[in-house]
Every structure is written in structure tokens, then in C-alpha cells.
Amino acid sequence: MAKVSPRTLSGFMELLPAQQMKMERMMQILRDSYARYGFTPLDTPIIESAEVLLAKGGGETEKQIYRFQKGDSDLALRFDLTVPLAKYVAQHYGELAFPFRRYQIGKVYRGERAQRGRFREFYQADIDVIGDGKLDILNEAEVPAIIYDTFHALGLSRFKIRVNNRKLLNGFYAMNGMSEKAGEIMRTVDKLDKIGAEKVKQLLIDEVKMLPCKAENVLDFMAICGTNAEVIEALERYRGMDATFDQGLDELITVTKYLRDFGVPEENFAVDLTIARGLDYYTSTVYETEMCDHPEIGSVCSGGRYDNLAEYYTDKQLPGVGISIGLTRLFYVLNEQGLLSDDLVTAPCDALVLPMTEELALRKAGLRVQLYGEKKKFKAKMSYADKIGVPFAVFIGEDEMNEGVLSVKDMRSGEQVKLCPDEAAAYMAKRIAELNSGAVIRE
Amino acid sequence: MAKVSPRTLSGFMELLPAQQMKMERMMQILRDSYARYGFTPLDTPIIESAEVLLAKGGGETEKQIYRFQKGDSDLALRFDLTVPLAKYVAQHYGELAFPFRRYQIGKVYRGERAQRGRFREFYQADIDVIGDGKLDILNEAEVPAIIYDTFHALGLSRFKIRVNNRKLLNGFYAMNGMSEKAGEIMRTVDKLDKIGAEKVKQLLIDEVKMLPCKAENVLDFMAICGTNAEVIEALERYRGMDATFDQGLDELITVTKYLRDFGVPEENFAVDLTIARGLDYYTSTVYETEMCDHPEIGSVCSGGRYDNLAEYYTDKQLPGVGISIGLTRLFYVLNEQGLLSDDLVTAPCDALVLPMTEELALRKAGLRVQLYGEKKKFKAKMSYADKIGVPFAVFIGEDEMNEGVLSVKDMRSGEQVKLCPDEAAAYMAKRIAELNSGAVIRE
């Protein structure tokens, strides 16, 4: 028979079993972490009506979208989890309690140009808090505090959540009479990291057509840095010149205070005036999260506060705050950098039983147990045990049957002991717990 | 602004939060259950090349498939988890250990005519064991035994796993010289439940063009019933007339023996000669699972043994055995029948803290805790607590602050107690464990 070559599309992640186990573990930590803060899990369709999904329309997004006809229906695959959330909240408004706190971990689709580390199908892991008309500023601190907790639970400590406030920026541009050019200026200032202050200044003058003194003002402002207290002190010097600026500064002060109250260490968050977020719907606090030792990756977790989640679907004012982890990309990068722990058990089971009936007792002890029933030579069986990386092989031969014991072989140390089933279960469970006690990510 | 009406496509399930919590709980039980038997989780893309996905081609499937162009690529959404598994195993053959045991819980797509209880996007939950060249018959008993365990863990006891063997059927048709019509006969016999023996007999004579005596032979065979021992005894009377039949009978005897060894109670499995499974790739043991009190639903979990998983992709002989739960449909039906427990906590959190800082200690105790930061009247806060169905509200007012205690209100009983944070955490954790101690499904 002519064969079709089995292959996976470029830009689609498909992992081998041991890698997939690491991914699952990360997802489980995210689920547990979000649930601990009272977020409810949500699952929305991957396919939506194109009209609904593209209600906002235009932009880069539309070019990248997977859109197709099925019968008479114009369909599209979701490209993020925010638009489906907006639809969901507008649609089920009457049945939800506000603030509505949801998390969603799901696949999204963008037909980007395929390149290393860029995915067309990828997981996003989002949390959002949506208010009905109003939403307290406390949420703008809690959301990054949850991200701190989550990253910490994954095993990361060398990361920084950068925080800024859009009102602060808008106010600053207003006080300099540059409001109309604010968008252009922000896009240019975004290049600071890449091309440096001198070149940015030249671009501001040449292309944005700013006066040199104004361009300098912008660069001076963006250059404000230091500890969080120092940055805020520097910002206080601008107070009183623009009401929006003052409001943004007050909010920033409140958010950083709450962040400390929530127990986020000073080294894990930083007020950073260069963060603006491209999307135009953020209205005050915005976040980006950088891995300190890998700034080249860019932000692995971003979000912010918005005033109007679902304006394309409803007249209800639905302010919210949310943050999104690009999980597939984060996993890819951590894996590439060798930051995913190999110490934890990635085998499909904890114990491989060769060959008969006693395995049930072990399973009741919470161990993941595989009964190996294939009629193979001993060597082939052990080679299987090696290949799947199982921590323990359990032998039940005639001797063991007569004595009512199991022979348990620690596949890592090679040590072999005879134990009665209960003892064997406890012995293995203890060792498995040790093996799995580390973090998923090792820096 | 003109609004787009927020809506979800027909045939796509989107649940409200409390329902979604029930679905998540079912999925977690499936994951835990499959992992306990040493199955490794797999995640494959939802989009594949149409050529790969439709390698087998033809049939009902192709009409239902979601297929579209993106750039130059001819793409399709997976319509089951078996074809992606075949692709995966063929593609990664050299990197896998055999038997390869994987579970996958994922969404699949079929553009069926929309009707109540039929879904176009739905979850399947599959387990498969794939051998390299050979696979021991033990697996054909273990797979339904795992399903027994899984259904049991969900809270179901009134279900029956029907077991048959294709060799037995093929052998029976051969010994009656009806091999060529076997397919047609099986499709007609499939209607037994619906139209009864008399009408099936007439169809066999009129449409399949069988001699009346042969049609009677078929109906006599299909009418064999009783306890598993009685059915096997009746089948023994056919032994010696066809080698394939005899092999099928031996396999059936072995599988039922192992099923007992695995601890599956006699009332939860039944040898049933009317089960054949439509798909032509099953080659020996086949399964269907019926809910005893709801036979009208049909099979909620089906599968069987196949000889050649990936013949369209590779020359390697890859026999396997697998079973699939149609999870979305099962959930829908259980929900409709009122069989999903409302006793378990479906609130997004266990405790709602009003309003300040002490909540961290509770969270460390494993409770899901939401801090309610909105500046609202007390009544509005309590109405929110009611609406999300939270088991506990925790008040921290000035008195509580001074005394170093928390006021904990049991929202179900209305009882309110003052406790120090550690006591409060333990008190609530105990009650939450009680509330969640039941099964997901209550029959």
C-alpha cells in the first residue's frame, strides 16, 4: 500500500512522552495556583462565528486568523482567550456573579510566519477579573501577585514583573502637549532596548517631528530608574501638572503598596516607565514579565487593566484586569535553555510490575502502576523498563508468590529488596515523593 | 456603536461556571485514573494536514470533516484521537517504548447535523496500548478493567461493559458459508434492539437474500444470552467447526477470566454477541458500555482490539487495543438525567474573605480563597457570596483585627464562629473535604 508520510505541521508543537509529562505538570501547577485564588475554570469553543470573533476587526490579527467556510457558516479559530471571554461575559451576563474571576488554559491559533520558537497553535493561560460597572484597584495588584505565586510554584525566582500605568504615560504626554503623537512616540520609545537612547532621540526628531527639547523630555522621563521607591520619588516631581498623570501616579503607588502587602518581594517587581503594551484597550495598570537571565525572550506574561471588555457585544460597562502566559512559548524556551527539571519522574508509571496479579495493592497506595503482560525475555522486559524511565520494577516470580512478597528493584540505584506488598508500596511511595519533591523549573 | 450579537455556534458546548466545575472534576478523575495504570498523557495538534488526516479516506467521516485552505496548505481538524495517535506512533516510532500506553483527552470535530445532544466539537477521552509487532491478550482485559475502575471512580455502578470477539462472529459466519455477507448481516442484526427479532429475520431474508434457515441460525446465535458462564457454555457447542471461531472463543474465555482477575464484578461486564462495532479495523475483542438505567443513550464508551493501527503511514505492524469515552456527550446526558452531583462544591472558591490581608494563611492550608476587594455594602457582598455558592464567608472587621481572629460563616448552615486563622483554616478544610467526599455522579 502507498503510504502517506506521517508528519506534524510546522508551527505546531507535538511532544514526546517525557516532555509532555513536563508540560502537563506545568499546566497542573497553573490550574492549582489559579484555583487557589478563587478563579473558576472556563472552556470555550475553539471555533466561533467569524463575525463574533472579528467584531473588533482590522489589524494584524485578521491577517493571521484561521478562517473558513463550513456549509453556509463563516467560521474562525480563536486567536486569543480574551475575545471569547468578552463574548462569554456579554452572552451570559445575567447568569454570572461579578466580579467574575475566570482562568482559561487553552489552545489559540495564529497563522504567523513559521520560525523557530514561533507557534501557530499554542496554549495561552489567562486569568481575568471582570467587574460590573466598577472594579476595585486591589485587583490590579492581586493579578500580578498571583503570577508571582504561580511562577514561584513552577520553580522560578529570577523573574521580574514590570509594572506601569497608562494614565501616567498619557498624562505625561498631555503635559508636554504631545497627546496626538503619543502612539507614535510610544512605538518609537519601544525600540530603546534595541537601538539605544541616541538613535531613539534622532527618530523622535526626524520621523515623529518632535522638537529636540521635547524629545529630550521624553528620554529623560523614560530614563527614570532605580528602586521602586526611587522611581516613584522621581515621578512625584511631575505631580500637579496634569490631572490624569496625578491619577496614574496615585494608582501606581497604590498598586505597588498592595503588591508588597500581597508578599511579592521587591526584587520580583519593578516600576518601569518603558512598558506600554501595544494593545490600545489597556487603560491604566499594565504588566510585562521578564526572565532576568533571559531578557532576549521578551515578556513571558503580560496584561493589564481595561475599562471595557465587551464593548463590541454589549452596552454594559465591563472593566477588568487580566494577564496571559504564553505557555507553549514559555515551555519551549525553558526547555531550550535546559531549565526544565529532569529530576522529576517523567515515566508514565512509578512501578512496572512483572508479571502478575499483586499490582492492585500498589495502585491503591496512589502509585501509578503498569502491569507488563507481554511474553518477552527478561532482558527485553528490563530494556522496556529502562526506556520508559520507570523508577521501580517489581518482580513476582514463583519464590515471591510462595513467600507472599514482592521483589522491588530501584532502577536508579540498582538496589533490589524483597518486601511484603504493603511495605513495598510505602517504600516506593516514599522514594517517588522524594523524586518529585523538586520544582518543575530549575534555574 | 453597533453591537455584534454574542453567541456560541450550535453544536458547541459552552458551560456556565458551576457546570464547568463538574466537567473539570470528571476530567481530573479520568486523568488520575488513566495515570494510575501507567498511561502517559499525549497532546497532538487539533489541525493536521488533510492528506495525513484523511490517509484512510472515504466514508461518512470525510463528509463531516472540517477542512480548509490556509495559504497553500490543505488542512483539516481532527475528527477523532485515533488517527492522530496512528500518525504519532508512526512518526515517532524510533523514540517510543512498546507497548506504548497513552491517554489523550481532547477536542475533536465533526460537522454533524446539529441536534439536541449531538455536538460538532466534543471531547473524547481515549486510552490505547500499542504493541510493536505483537501485543499480549492481557491488554484486552486490562483496558475494560480500567474503564470499570474509572466509571466506578466517577460514581457509576449501574453500567455494563459488553464484550464480544470479532473472530467469533467471523468464524460463525464462515461456518455457515455467509462470510461474504457478514458485513451486511451485522448491520441488519444491529437493529435487533430497535425492531425486534421477527423484523430482523424478514430483513435478512428479503434484503440480505438469506435462506430462512440460515437467517434463523443467525438469530439463534444472536439470541444466546444468560450469565457469562452460560453464554460461553452455549458457544462451546459450536466449537470444532471453524478454526477462527475456536480462536475467538478461546480469546473470549481468556479475556473474561482476566476481567475477573482484575476485579471487575460479574454484573459490570457481559459477553454479548450482538456487539460488533461499525469500524472495520477491529479484529478480535470489542467493547461497548451501556448505562443500565439508560439504554436509550447507547454506548458511552467503546473500543476494541485492532491489528494494524498505522497501516496508512508505515509498514510496521502495530497492533493495539483501545477504548474511547465520548466525554462531552456523556456529560450532557448525565447532566440532563440529573445524575451529576450538586453536593460537591462548584463555587470558584472555598472561602470568600471580606475584606483584608489575613487570607494568605488560609490559602497555604490548601483552600481556594478569594479576597473580595470591591467597596460595596455588606448586603451586596453577601449576595455575591450567595451567587457564587461559596461554602464559607470570612469576615475581618476591626474587632477581629484586635482580637487576632477571623469570623467564619458557614453559608449553608448560617452558623458563624470566631476562630484564630489556623483553627479557621482547619475548620473549613474539614468541612470542604466532607462536602467534596461524594462521587461526581450520583445514580
Side-chain angles (χ1 to χ4, degrees):
Chain A
M1 192 196 300
K3 306 294 175 194
V4 172
S5 161
R7 60 192 187 277
T8 303
L9 292 164
S10 146
F12 289 68
M13 181 180 271
E14 186 173 80
L15 300 169
L16 285 169
Q19 298 293 79
Q20 185 62 41
M21 284 291 279
K22 296 180 184 180
M23 181 65 152
E24 298 284 326
R25 204 170 253 137
M26 282 182 65
M27 284 192 183
Q28 190 59 46
I29 289 169
L30 296 187
R31 283 194 289 262
D32 291 347
S33 179
Y34 296 158
R36 217 157 46 233
Y37 282 87
F39 286 75
T40 200
L42 206 67
D43 186 14
T44 63
I46 283 173
I47 307 179
E48 302 269 7
S49 154
E51 188 203 20
V52 169
L53 216 50
L54 298 170
K56 192 177 179 177
E60 265 310 290
T61 313
E62 197 146 2
K63 271 183 263 164
Q64 296 183 347
I65 210 163
Y66 284 86
R67 182 173 182 172
F68 54 93
Q69 297 284 128
K70 174 81 179 167
D72 296 334
S73 307
D74 183 9
L75 306 174
L77 305 188
R78 66 184 181 203
F79 51 88
D80 70 8
L81 301 176
T82 306
V83 175
L85 172 66
K87 183 212 73 169
Y88 184 90
V89 175
Q91 188 178 347
H92 304 292
Y93 173 82
E95 295 151 298
L96 302 176
F98 293 90
F100 176 60
R101 296 156 72 91
R102 84 89 177 77
Y103 76 83
Q104 183 164 7
I105 301 175
K107 286 179 170 177
V108 304
Y109 296 83
R110 294 186 197 171
E112 295 201 67
R113 203 161 57 77
Q115 51 176 306
R116 222 176 133 66
R118 284 277 161 202
F119 295 92
R120 290 170 171 171
E121 176 186 74
F122 57 98
Y123 279 99
Q124 286 193 332
D126 282 23
I127 53 174
D128 284 88
V129 184
I130 313 296
D132 184 10
K134 285 199 289 192
L135 188 70
D136 198 83
I137 192 170
L138 185 68
N139 296 288
E140 287 165 58
E142 196 188 23
V143 161
I146 295 167
I147 291 302
Y148 164 76
D149 239 28
T150 305
F151 275 36
H152 196 72
L154 287 169
L156 285 166
S157 61
R158 306 268 310 136
F159 64 91
K160 195 159 282 204
I161 303 171
R162 299 178 181 285
V163 181
N164 196 7
N165 190 297
R166 290 292 296 258
K167 289 176 190 157
L168 204 69
L169 295 183
N170 292 339
F172 170 77
Y173 292 122
M175 73 177 73
N176 282 282
M178 305 184 288
S179 290
E180 280 165 34
K181 291 182 172 172
E184 243 182 308
I185 296 171
M186 286 196 227
R187 274 191 295 280
T188 311
V189 166
D190 241 9
K191 298 175 185 161
L192 262 174
D193 278 353
K194 280 188 197 140
I195 62 176
E198 263 317 302
K199 286 193 180 155
V200 165
K201 186 178 163 189
Q202 215 49 56
L203 283 177
L204 288 176
I205 295 167
D206 295 347
E207 300 196 354
V208 189
K209 311 290 180 204
M210 292 175 74
L211 293 173
C213 64
K214 294 280 181 183
E216 224 147 279
N217 277 357
V218 169
L219 287 169
D220 286 350
F221 184 79
M222 291 299 166
I224 292 173
C225 64
T227 65
N228 290 322
E230 284 164 0
V231 172
I232 284 171
E233 205 190 309
L235 290 172
E236 286 289 359
R237 291 199 300 266
Y238 294 84
R239 194 187 279 280
M241 296 154 75
D242 180 90
T244 305
F245 179 92
D246 292 357
Q247 198 190 339
L249 181 53
D250 286 340
E251 288 180 5
L252 191 63
I253 290 167
T254 304
V255 167
T256 54
K257 179 196 166 304
Y258 281 145
L259 271 170
R260 280 181 208 106
D261 287 349
F262 279 122
V264 180
E266 208 74 21
E267 66 262 31
N268 289 113
F269 74 96
V271 176
D272 183 336
L273 302 177
T274 67
I275 304 297
R277 304 298 307 142
L279 292 164
D280 52 8
Y281 81 124
Y282 292 116
T283 47
S284 70
T285 308
V286 287
Y287 325 99
E288 291 192 356
T289 310
E290 183 184 274
M291 292 174 61
C292 305
D293 304 322
H294 302 283
E296 74 282 3
I297 298 166
S299 177
V300 292
C301 176
S302 312
R305 160 90 185 208
Y306 41 88
D307 277 343
N308 219 340
L309 173 70
E311 59 180 324
Y312 300 98
Y313 306 122
T314 175
D315 285 325
K316 302 273 177 214
Q317 177 87 7
L318 300 167
V321 54
I323 205 161
S324 175
I325 299 178
L327 187 56
T328 299
R329 179 157 166 77
L330 178 62
F331 179 88
Y332 174 84
V333 165
L334 291 169
N335 201 28
E336 286 283 297
Q337 303 285 350
L339 294 177
L340 290 173
S341 170
D342 287 323
D343 306 333
L344 310 188
V345 177
T346 57
C349 53
D350 299 320
L352 184 68
V353 173
L354 316 122
M356 279 308 289
T357 51
E358 287 287 340
E359 92 289 354
L360 291 174
L362 305 180
R363 216 166 265 148
K364 280 189 195 120
L367 290 172
R368 301 171 306 143
V369 176
Q370 178 185 342
L371 175 61
Y372 188 91
E374 306 310 300
K375 283 157 196 68
K376 291 260 171 94
K377 296 225 168 95
F378 184 75
K379 207 177 144 185
K381 291 180 180 178
M382 292 312 285
S383 133
Y384 179 74
D386 275 336
K387 204 163 175 189
I388 63 171
V390 72
F392 291 99
V394 179
F395 310 112
I396 315 176
E398 222 166 289
D399 288 358
E400 284 86 356
M401 293 285 263
N402 293 336
E403 295 172 46
V405 297
L406 307 173
S407 286
V408 178
K409 179 172 182 168
D410 184 325
M411 296 294 289
R412 282 171 169 71
S413 68
E415 201 186 343
Q416 188 167 326
V417 288
K418 278 190 183 180
L419 296 166
C420 73
D422 282 358
E423 287 167 352
Y427 165 76
M428 290 189 284
K430 183 161 172 278
R431 179 75 184 121
I432 295 291
E434 281 165 20
L435 286 170
N436 282 330
S437 62
V440 171
I441 303 169
R442 51 168 188 208
E443 290 180 321
Chain B
M1 191 195 302
K3 307 292 175 193
V4 172
S5 161
R7 60 194 187 276
T8 303
L9 292 165
S10 146
F12 289 67
M13 182 180 271
E14 186 173 80
L15 300 169
L16 285 169
Q19 298 293 79
Q20 185 62 41
M21 283 291 279
K22 295 180 185 182
M23 182 63 153
E24 299 285 327
R25 203 171 252 138
M26 282 183 65
M27 284 193 182
Q28 190 59 46
I29 289 170
L30 296 188
R31 283 195 289 261
D32 290 346
S33 179
Y34 296 158
R36 215 158 48 233
Y37 282 88
F39 286 75
T40 200
L42 206 67
D43 186 14
T44 63
I46 283 172
I47 307 179
E48 302 269 7
S49 153
E51 187 202 23
V52 168
L53 216 50
L54 297 170
K56 192 177 179 178
E60 265 310 290
T61 313
E62 196 145 2
K63 271 182 262 167
Q64 297 183 345
I65 210 162
Y66 285 85
R67 183 175 182 171
F68 54 92
Q69 297 286 125
K70 175 82 180 168
D72 296 334
S73 307
D74 182 9
L75 306 175
L77 304 188
R78 66 185 181 202
F79 51 88
D80 71 7
L81 301 176
T82 306
V83 174
L85 172 65
K87 183 212 74 171
Y88 183 90
V89 175
Q91 186 178 347
H92 304 292
Y93 173 82
E95 296 150 297
L96 302 176
F98 293 91
F100 175 61
R101 296 156 72 91
R102 84 87 178 79
Y103 76 84
Q104 182 163 10
I105 302 174
K107 286 179 169 175
V108 304
Y109 296 83
R110 294 186 197 171
E112 293 200 69
R113 202 162 58 78
Q115 51 178 306
R116 222 176 132 66
R118 284 277 161 203
F119 295 92
R120 290 171 171 169
E121 175 185 74
F122 57 97
Y123 279 99
Q124 286 193 331
D126 282 24
I127 52 173
D128 284 87
V129 184
I130 313 297
D132 184 10
K134 284 197 290 192
L135 187 70
D136 197 84
I137 192 170
L138 185 68
N139 296 289
E140 286 164 59
E142 196 187 23
V143 161
I146 295 166
I147 291 301
Y148 165 74
D149 239 30
T150 305
F151 274 38
H152 196 73
L154 288 170
L156 285 167
S157 62
R158 305 271 308 137
F159 64 91
K160 196 160 278 203
I161 303 172
R162 300 178 180 284
V163 180
N164 196 7
N165 189 297
R166 290 293 296 258
K167 288 177 190 156
L168 203 71
L169 294 183
N170 292 339
F172 170 77
Y173 292 121
M175 73 176 72
N176 282 280
M178 307 182 289
S179 290
E180 279 164 35
K181 291 182 172 173
E184 243 181 307
I185 297 171
M186 287 196 226
R187 274 191 295 280
T188 310
V189 166
D190 241 10
K191 298 173 183 162
L192 262 176
D193 277 354
K194 279 187 197 142
I195 62 176
E198 264 317 301
K199 285 193 179 153
V200 165
K201 186 179 163 186
Q202 215 51 54
L203 282 176
L204 288 175
I205 295 168
D206 295 347
E207 299 194 355
V208 190
K209 311 291 180 202
M210 293 176 74
L211 293 174
C213 65
K214 294 281 180 182
E216 223 146 282
N217 276 355
V218 168
L219 287 169
D220 286 351
F221 184 78
M222 291 299 166
I224 292 173
C225 63
T227 65
N228 290 322
E230 285 164 358
V231 172
I232 285 172
E233 204 189 309
L235 290 172
E236 286 289 358
R237 292 200 300 266
Y238 295 84
R239 194 186 279 280
M241 295 155 74
D242 180 89
T244 305
F245 180 91
D246 293 356
Q247 199 191 338
L249 181 53
D250 286 341
E251 289 180 4
L252 191 63
I253 290 168
T254 304
V255 167
T256 53
K257 179 196 165 301
Y258 281 144
L259 271 170
R260 281 184 207 103
D261 287 350
F262 279 123
V264 180
E266 209 72 22
E267 67 262 31
N268 288 114
F269 73 97
V271 176
D272 183 335
L273 302 178
T274 66
I275 304 296
R277 304 298 308 140
L279 292 164
D280 52 7
Y281 81 126
Y282 292 116
T283 47
S284 71
T285 308
V286 287
Y287 326 99
E288 291 192 356
T289 309
E290 183 184 274
M291 292 174 59
C292 305
D293 303 321
H294 302 283
E296 74 282 3
I297 297 167
S299 178
V300 292
C301 176
S302 313
R305 161 89 185 208
Y306 41 88
D307 276 344
N308 220 338
L309 173 70
E311 59 180 324
Y312 300 98
Y313 305 123
T314 174
D315 286 325
K316 302 274 178 212
Q317 177 86 8
L318 299 168
V321 54
I323 205 162
S324 175
I325 300 178
L327 187 56
T328 299
R329 179 158 166 74
L330 178 62
F331 179 87
Y332 174 84
V333 166
L334 291 169
N335 201 28
E336 285 283 298
Q337 302 285 349
L339 294 177
L340 291 173
S341 172
D342 287 323
D343 306 334
L344 310 188
V345 177
T346 57
C349 52
D350 299 320
L352 185 68
V353 174
L354 315 122
M356 279 308 290
T357 51
E358 286 287 338
E359 93 289 356
L360 291 174
L362 305 181
R363 216 166 264 147
K364 279 188 196 123
L367 290 173
R368 301 170 308 144
V369 176
Q370 178 185 340
L371 175 61
Y372 188 92
E374 305 310 301
K375 283 157 196 68
K376 292 259 171 96
K377 297 226 168 91
F378 184 75
K379 207 177 144 186
K381 290 179 181 178
M382 292 312 284
S383 134
Y384 179 75
D386 274 336
K387 204 163 175 190
I388 64 171
V390 72
F392 291 99
V394 179
F395 310 112
I396 314 175
E398 222 167 288
D399 288 358
E400 284 85 357
M401 293 285 265
N402 293 337
E403 295 172 45
V405 297
L406 308 173
S407 286
V408 178
K409 179 172 182 168
D410 184 323
M411 296 294 288
R412 280 171 170 72
S413 68
E415 201 186 343
Q416 188 169 326
V417 288
K418 278 191 180 177
L419 296 167
C420 73
D422 282 358
E423 287 168 350
Y427 166 75
M428 290 189 283
K430 182 160 172 280
R431 180 73 184 123
I432 295 292
E434 280 165 21
L435 286 170
N436 282 329
S437 62
V440 171
I441 303 170
R442 51 170 187 208
E443 291 180 322

